[in-house]
Amino acid sequence: EVMEILIRRMPLAVSNDHIIQQLFGALEPNDAYDSVKVHVCKLRKKIKDTNLVIKTHWGRGHSLEYRAA
């Protein structure tokens, strides 16, 4: 689901709060931010051999972009 959220907003940054809201809705767990970090880490590993990269924008969130050639 995180990848879908990033794809829909590509190449714009998506806030962690938005990702958490989309994933959990009103049932946000205490470790929601850590959960987002884990999802992003796993997605980076899955797409490492593609032309896509997930960038972290400190204090703002994450974005999915095309890797520079």
Side-chain angles (χ1 to χ4, degrees):
E1 289 184 54
V2 174
M3 182 60 103
E4 183 179 328
I5 294 166
L6 293 173
I7 288 171
R8 281 188 273 151
R9 297 286 299 271
M10 187 177 176
L12 303 174
V14 181
S15 72
N16 288 327
D17 289 335
H18 180 77
I19 293 171
I20 289 168
Q21 177 63 35
Q22 293 297 307
L23 291 177
F24 304 109
L27 303 175
E28 178 182 325
N30 292 335
D31 64 347
Y33 286 95
D34 290 334
S35 180
V36 170
K37 288 181 190 177
V38 170
H39 281 289
V40 168
C41 182
K42 288 180 179 182
L43 285 172
R44 282 187 172 128
K45 290 177 184 177
K46 288 182 179 182
I47 66 170
K48 68 181 174 116
D49 294 327
T50 71
N51 64 340
L52 297 172
V53 62
I54 298 174
K55 292 187 177 180
T56 298
H57 303 272
W58 296 108
R60 291 191 343 213
H62 303 281
S63 65
L64 181 65
E65 301 177 19
Y66 288 107
R67 191 179 308 272

